[in-house]
Amino acid sequence: MTNLLWKNAKTKLRAMCDDCSSVAEMRKRIPKNLKKEDWDDFVDIVSKGEDKEVRERMKRARSKLKAAHSTGRRGIAQRRHEMEQASPTGKVLRVDLYLATHVYQEMSEEDRLHFDPLSYEVTSRDYVQKVRELNETDEFRGETDQDKDAVAKVLGRDGRGVVRGFGGGVSKTELRASAVSRELLRKEKLKIAAVENHVRNLEETVEELRALSVSPGTNNANNTQPMNVDGQRV
């Protein structure tokens, strides 16, 4: 939360600097609750040519986005891990992960007028809506083939070295290779859980028997019942 607040505040401060025509004017417009020396340091950063080049490069990159994820700095990989942990099978469909990591606030038609129709703020919502609608149909619901699911239908088939919806650095080859080890790990976890449950039941049984053997008013010697062993009473 702190990181998000700082990120939003920094964006506003940068916009304030962009409105200034010179560095001297920037230094004069000290925001409230900021020390002069801190503001001067910030102005030194944003007024450098390197900082401006990075910002312009990021703007061009954002203009090419089709659908930006909404997981923030936590990333898609962390969200995927959480969903796999919560899944009974330990698996998560690509389309379910995509819809869970691309959640946006509703945008009215009036708000859309303030954005470029091709900007990712608009296209992201359109793509997600199409994916959701297709995924609810019988043809695409539960589809495990990543070349045929709703995401592939809307955004196109994935190229080499990339799988949409799984974050950066994930390829189809890696997903297929990890599927076997993930399944083995899931089965091993189930075995361990079954053993732990069995041990827990045995411990509870032992505790119950121990409680019965030492319960007050019980004379173990008098209450001992004879047993038949090989036809003889002992």
Side-chain angles (χ1 to χ4, degrees), residues 175-189:
L175 285 177
R176 295 191 184 102
S178 65
V180 177
S181 58
R182 285 175 178 271
E183 180 63 17
L184 292 175
L185 179 61
R186 185 185 70 85
K187 291 181 178 180
E188 192 64 27
K189 287 183 177 180

Side-chain angles (χ1 to χ4, degrees), residues 51-114:
D51 185 76
K52 293 181 179 180
E53 290 178 4
V54 171
R55 293 173 64 191
E56 288 299 324
R57 188 165 66 249
M58 292 300 101
K59 286 181 180 179
R60 291 194 297 270
R62 285 195 297 272
S63 67
K64 298 178 181 179
L65 279 175
K66 286 188 174 182
H69 69 80
S70 58
T71 60
R73 296 188 178 184
R74 296 176 69 245
I76 294 177
Q78 178 64 28
R79 186 72 177 100
R80 175 190 175 191
H81 175 71
E82 294 171 354
M83 293 178 67
E84 288 176 342
Q85 292 293 313
S87 172
T89 62
K91 300 178 182 179
V92 177
L93 293 178
R94 192 261 292 266
V95 65
D96 293 334
L97 178 61
Y98 183 87
L99 293 175
T101 55
H102 293 75
V103 181
Y104 312 110
Q105 294 181 347
E106 292 186 8
M107 180 183 291
S108 65
E109 293 299 326
E110 183 179 353
D111 292 335
R112 281 175 174 260
L113 298 177
H114 299 288

Side-chain angles (χ1 to χ4, degrees), residues 145-159:
D145 190 339
Q146 294 164 5
D147 290 334
K148 298 179 181 179
D149 63 6
V151 177
K153 182 66 175 180
V154 174
L155 299 176
R157 295 180 59 178
D158 299 311

